[in-house]
Amino acid sequence: QVQLVESGGGLVQAGGSLRLSCAASGSPFSINAMGWYRQAPGKQRELVAAITSGGRTNYADSVKGRFTISRDIAKNTVYLQMNSLKPEDTAVYYCNADTTAPPYDSWGQGTQVTVSS
């Protein structure tokens, strides 16, 4: 089982930047890919960015050019650098790990990101 601990959320003004971190423990060697999801009030949880163990990345159209996902293998940590933040980026952000061992999907506790205008 993989445990995920997130940090870095908070309040930031529009146009500002924030970096989220997600540290994996337990069985980090089983991680195939990691990603960041977000859920705004009244909306479905959506994929923001993902990165595979091979380094391939994928981004939601709404964040392309503004957000960057990266992974530090040695530290078993994935990051989400968020620049040029907009009020519509306000949501709870969740870290996710896709693993090759059960339960195959693991989630962090979520961290609130609030962007003020």
Side-chain angles (χ1 to χ4, degrees), residues 4 9 13 22 32 35 37-39 46 48 55 67 74 76 78 80-81 86 88-89 113:
L4 304 174
Q13 67 179 11
C22 175
N32 182 61
Y37 290 73
R38 67 185 181 188
Q39 186 167 25
E46 65 174 344
V48 177
F67 291 10
N76 297 317
V78 66
L80 184 66
Q81 179 65 47
K86 305 174 181 179
E88 50 262 45
D89 294 319
V113 172

Side-chain angles (χ1 to χ4, degrees), residues 2-6 22-25 31 34 95-97 106-109:
V2 174
Q3 291 80 46
L4 304 174
V5 179
E6 302 180 21
C22 175
S25 62
I31 296 175
M34 296 185 72
C95 181
N96 169 262
S106 298
W107 294 90
Q109 77 284 356

Side-chain angles (χ1 to χ4, degrees), residues 19-94:
R19 188 181 75 164
L20 305 183
S21 299
C22 175
S25 62
S27 300
F29 54 85
S30 71
I31 296 175
N32 182 61
M34 296 185 72
W36 289 94
Y37 290 73
R38 67 185 181 188
Q39 186 167 25
K43 301 189 69 176
Q44 294 278 81
R45 187 173 299 185
E46 65 174 344
L47 176 67
V48 177
I51 186 168
T52 69
S53 59
R56 292 199 309 165
T57 59
N58 185 48
Y59 297 93
D61 288 342
S62 60
V63 306
K64 286 181 179 177
R66 299 189 298 120
F67 291 10
T68 302
I69 188 170
S70 61
R71 183 180 178 187
D72 187 329
I73 300 298
K75 295 182 178 180
N76 297 317
T77 300
V78 66
Y79 304 94
L80 184 66
Q81 179 65 47
M82 304 184 293
N83 298 327
S84 302
L85 283 162
K86 305 174 181 179
E88 50 262 45
D89 294 319
T90 295
V92 177
Y93 284 70
Y94 298 90

